[in-house]
Amino acid sequence: DMDGTEAAEYLLDDEETRSIPIIFITAAIKKDEAEDRLGCIHGHPILAKPVTPIEVMNEIEKVLTFA
């Protein structure tokens, strides 16, 4: 088993997958906790469940804009 942070590190360590944008979606923390972390884990956006489709789409647009 691998958690999200480990999966992200695995992707970032591989030259072929390093440029893939990552968005964490988790139920492990609450929305206010995600905001306290400035909405990021190691520079990658984090959305805390429950999350709406609009929130996901907005985050994808942001990530693709900076990719």
Side-chain angles (χ1 to χ4, degrees), residues 5-43:
T5 303
E6 292 170 329
E9 288 172 359
Y10 180 82
L11 291 171
L12 294 170
D13 284 344
D14 188 323
E15 189 175 322
E16 290 185 28
T17 57
R18 185 174 297 144
S19 64
I20 297 172
I22 299 168
I23 300 172
F24 291 98
I25 300 177
T26 183
I29 63 173
K30 297 178 183 175
K31 285 189 182 244
D32 59 339
E33 292 173 314
E35 291 169 5
D36 288 346
R37 296 178 184 209
L38 301 176
C40 293
I41 295 177
H42 300 295

